[in-house]
Amino acid sequence: MAAALTLIQAATGVAPVVAAAPPIKTIATMDLSKPFATRSPWRFTATQGPDTNDTPSADGTEPGAIRLCISKDGGRSCHPSLNMLLIAPGGNANDTFSQPHYLGTPTLLHPATGVTLLRIEADSLHAGNGDQLHGTALLRYDRAADAFVTVYERFVGHNNNQEIRYIDAGPLRGAVISAEPTQDAPFGYWITISRFAGTSYKQALRYRSATRYGDNNPLAVIDAEMPNILGRLGLWRSGQPLPRPAKGCATPHMVKGALWC
């Protein structure tokens, strides 16, 4: 190749133009050494490649793939690896939807007094029907090992009212709730509540929702199920004021075992 370029330049007197590689840009960075009082200079960095046309969505072009990295050596190595965030156990890392292309704002959380976690949220490309994978990872710092450890990781789809929600206040402070569709009738949702216990998240409750898919309830599934969630955990009972949805609702009421507005 080099010889061919030399011949072209000799024949024309003009050096050929070589296209520059598309730039990789840093889209997020956070110093972790101060909020976690780390022993080494840990930092979270997300870098993104150029926009891509290789997408199944109807949009034609979407943002490029994102590399998520928690590193103490300037990004030469990343620990723990976050490249499994959108891959199901036993899944294929080369799947079209396995790579993050959208990133939420990295956030510090405090599920309990004296506990700090880092939340990373990322989304896949869009499918042709507009669906998209959304993944959430929560990480803590292990001082003895001088390392970050994943304490919660889950992903859900988008088109069927799925959600992963961190609760930052109230009786469920620090809990993470997920709502995922059931695969058989009556079609509702699996509601899973995980709570921080010691050094990691443990499943505290999992049940099939009273909320039904397509019931026209204007509330998010998790809001509709909040009386059931709190009741099953012994934090609310019938006759007490109904839990208020996360987004305003002046007159919440119960319909067939679920909260409506």
Side-chain angles (χ1 to χ4, degrees), residues 139-222:
L139 303 103
R140 69 174 179 86
Y141 176 65
D142 182 335
R143 169 164 290 279
D146 188 25
F148 278 84
V149 180
T150 301
V151 296
Y152 179 93
E153 188 173 65
R154 199 180 194 96
F155 74 83
V156 296
H158 172 76
N159 275 12
N160 301 113
N161 305 315
Q162 299 100 312
E163 185 181 1
I164 300 171
R165 185 186 299 183
Y166 174 85
I167 308 298
D168 58 9
L172 286 175
R173 175 191 171 189
V176 184
I177 306 175
S178 66
E180 302 169 82
T182 63
Q183 300 300 311
D184 57 345
F187 293 100
Y189 298 85
W190 288 112
I191 306 298
T192 306
I193 297 87
S194 300
R195 307 197 75 172
F196 191 76
T199 58
S200 187
Y201 274 83
K202 307 295 183 184
Q203 182 175 300
L205 178 65
R206 178 177 169 85
Y207 72 95
R208 196 176 188 122
S209 69
T211 300
R212 294 289 174 254
Y213 182 75
D215 61 6
N216 295 317
N217 188 342
L219 293 178
V221 173
I222 291 175

Side-chain angles (χ1 to χ4, degrees), residues 15-169:
V17 176
V18 179
I24 302 295
K25 59 184 178 182
T26 299
I27 59 172
T29 184
M30 178 185 286
D31 178 10
L32 303 178
S33 63
K34 292 181 180 179
F36 290 94
T38 63
R39 291 162 46 197
S40 299
W42 287 95
R43 176 173 288 274
F44 168 75
T45 305
T47 54
Q48 187 165 40
D51 291 353
T52 178
N53 295 316
D54 186 15
T55 168
S57 75
D59 296 335
T61 300
E62 293 199 66
I66 294 172
R67 177 179 183 254
L68 305 171
C69 185
I70 295 177
S71 177
K72 63 178 179 179
D73 58 14
R76 291 187 294 276
S77 61
C78 305
H79 303 283
S81 173
L82 294 172
N83 62 3
M84 301 295 287
L85 182 57
L86 299 178
I87 304 175
N92 185 353
N94 296 318
D95 182 89
T96 301
F97 303 101
S98 67
Q99 183 75 33
H101 283 254
Y102 298 85
L103 180 68
T105 302
T107 309
L108 298 177
L109 305 175
H110 303 282
T113 301
V115 177
T116 301
L117 302 178
L118 173 65
R119 174 172 59 190
I120 304 296
E121 296 181 299
D123 302 297
S124 71
L125 292 170
H126 291 86
N129 62 1
D131 204 359
Q132 185 182 32
L133 297 181
H134 171 77
T136 296
L138 304 181
L139 303 103
R140 69 174 179 86
Y141 176 65
D142 182 335
R143 169 164 290 279
D146 188 25
F148 278 84
V149 180
T150 301
V151 296
Y152 179 93
E153 188 173 65
R154 199 180 194 96
F155 74 83
V156 296
H158 172 76
N159 275 12
N160 301 113
N161 305 315
Q162 299 100 312
E163 185 181 1
I164 300 171
R165 185 186 299 183
Y166 174 85
I167 308 298
D168 58 9

